[in-house]
Amino acid sequence: IAGFSFQDNICVGDCITFTDTTVGEPIEWIWDFGPQINPITSNDQNPENVCFNTAGVYSIQLTVKNGNDVYSSTNNTITVHESPTVTAQFDTIIDLGGYADLVAISPNDVIYNWEPSLNVDCDTCSGTQVQAQETTAYVVTATSSNECFATDTILVRVNFIEGLGVPTAFSPNGDGTNDEFFVKGFGIQTMVFSVYNRYGEKVFETTDQSIGWDGTFRNKE
């Protein structure tokens, strides 16, 4: 009794494997995929890399033969979905610390996803911004409701400009603005930031740029 299984969610451009599930002891397999599929036919038991380049519904036939020259055939239909299209705009150059626009355009109803997502304002939006720290290729994937997808890439080149500084004042009054004393700058890999009082006594030190001094020493302002 002829039978076979296959991946049931196919998009244009996909290549899949058909798996023989025939009951009995066949010695010959005759596959007929149709003129629009590559390959058109096969005599393998489990044909691989059968490719679908056009959307539509196709009838796949498997005929098997046993050692007594008894034949059995079966047909299954397979639906190939149209893949979406997406265009990413545009390659750009920014200075370190600046922002680049990431824009994706698709005529289809799709879900967007940007990778890598680090420092991307909205990694699921068609249009967003990124504060790139180094030259990076950002890939957008547009996925349709039938799980077919397309990708495109934007290259953001970053001009590295060494920059380092600290503010001349801060206001640790708990209002949420300038409450801590931070090292400012981009591209810093390692640092030691120390604060001393007028007597030469160290009141604060950190090696982490994200940690600032809150204006206290030994739990006193």
Side-chain angles (χ1 to χ4, degrees), residues 55-88:
V57 179
Y58 300 94
S59 178
I60 310 298
Q61 183 182 67
L62 169 63
T63 300
V64 294
K65 183 184 76 169
N66 66 13
N68 296 320
D69 289 337
V70 176
Y71 289 84
S72 174
S73 295
T74 187
N75 288 75
N76 280 316
T77 58
I78 187 170
T79 300
V80 180
H81 302 287
E82 191 70 62
S83 293
T85 59
V86 65
T87 301

Side-chain angles (χ1 to χ4, degrees), residues 128-146:
T128 185
Q129 287 188 319
V130 61
Q131 190 177 37
Q133 301 297 308
E134 60 185 358
T135 297
T136 306
Y138 292 91
V139 179
V140 63
T141 301
T143 305
S144 62
S145 58
N146 52 32

